[in-house]
Structure formats: structure tokens, C-alpha cells
Amino acid sequence: MIKIVFVITSLSAGGAEKVFSLILKNIDKTKFNIILAIGKKEGPFLSNIPDKVKIKELAGSKKSSKSFFKLLKLLQIEKPDIVFSTLGMNTTSALCSLFLSKNIRFISRFGNTIGVDLEQRVKKDSYIKYLVQKYSNLLVLKTTEIVTQSQYMKNDLI
């Protein structure tokens, strides 16, 4: 059986959260052993998660940076075949990948167009924040696979 750890900040009302909850609800539990690693165990989509999915709250916070050590420990204990992350947890998962077996497939799913987000939102807020985010995204690009929602997002990442 293939073990997959899905990693997300929370299951609050949003598109990525809904997609993750639908995947977790519909994935074949006879073929996959599923663990949901969640920054803060909250949100309306939690009710969609089947009983067969093991839920591990990481930090009690939606801030992904607070989840790093708990996620790393969880991945060391569980030894998954695949780690599939989204939103803020992409960077945290990618950072964990540096300390774990190269046999684990790390998959990152971006929720928005990175180039546009960096240039139009983050750079205007703070140049330091911009540099941190830019280098965090470069780390995520080192993951095994990246899922994008459109050709435009794919081209932006390339």
C-alpha cells in the first residue's frame, strides 16, 4: 500500500482546501494509506475528511514556518512514499525534503501564479519579504514534481 502525506495549513474556506478535502474524500483507501498533516485542525472542509484518513495537527497554527519541526518528525516516523503539499506548506515540505530520504516523492501544488504574486503583491509590501519569498519559491522548485492549474501558471514557473 502506498503511503501519502497530504500537507496543508488548514481546511478553511478556500479553493485549495476544498480540492484537498475532495481528494481525501474520494481517493481509493484500499490502495493508499492517507495521512493529513495540517497546520491548524480547523475549517468547514474538515467534515469532508473520512474516518480512514489519519489527521495530524502540526503546530496549532496556520503559519507554515511553525510546522517545520513537527512535519519533519512526522515524516521521519511515517516514512511516506509521497508528500503532497499546497499553499504555504510547499516551502515547509521542500525544506523537510533536504533532511529525508531521496526515495520520497515530494509534490508541490501552487495556488496562484508565483511571478505575478511576487511582483504585484509581495514586492509592494516589503523588499525583504519579496527576497525571502523568491528564495523560498526556488527551494520549492527543487521538489520532485509540481502541479499547476493552468498552462499560464506552468509558463510562469518555467
Side-chain angles (χ1 to χ4, degrees), residues 7-140:
V7 189
I8 193 165
T9 53
S10 76
L11 286 176
S12 59
E17 295 86 351
K18 183 176 183 178
V19 167
F20 257 45
S21 73
L22 289 172
I23 291 171
L24 292 168
K25 182 178 180 180
N26 293 297
I27 196 165
D28 186 344
K29 314 295 183 298
T30 63
K31 294 180 182 176
F32 301 99
N33 179 359
I34 308 296
I35 299 168
L36 172 61
I38 187 166
K40 185 169 184 162
K41 191 177 172 183
E42 70 174 11
F45 296 117
L46 270 174
S47 61
N48 291 349
I49 308 304
D51 292 337
K52 286 193 173 195
V53 174
K54 193 181 338 177
I55 301 175
K56 297 286 188 173
E57 185 175 55
L58 297 171
S61 169
K62 290 196 269 184
K63 285 190 73 78
S64 58
S65 58
K66 292 186 177 190
S67 296
F68 171 73
F69 290 108
K70 290 208 176 184
L71 179 60
L72 181 61
K73 184 176 179 180
L74 174 70
L75 298 176
Q76 288 171 330
I77 291 167
E78 294 293 340
K79 297 177 180 25
D81 300 292
I82 301 169
V83 176
F84 186 9
S85 61
T86 192
L87 302 176
M89 290 298 197
N90 284 337
T91 304
T92 305
S93 294
L95 190 56
C96 287
S97 74
L98 300 176
F99 301 96
L100 298 166
S101 167
K102 299 302 176 205
N103 295 328
I104 300 173
R105 288 175 55 196
F106 281 84
I107 303 170
S108 297
R109 180 203 163 273
F110 284 101
N112 55 22
T113 308
I114 299 305
V116 172
D117 188 51
L118 277 173
E119 295 301 322
Q120 293 183 0
R121 187 184 62 83
V122 179
K123 199 172 191 178
K124 288 179 183 176
D125 288 348
S126 158
Y127 193 70
I128 299 296
K129 207 179 200 183
Y130 167 79
L131 288 175
V132 168
Q133 188 67 46
K134 187 172 181 96
Y135 288 105
S136 294
N137 288 338
L138 288 175
L139 176 63
V140 173

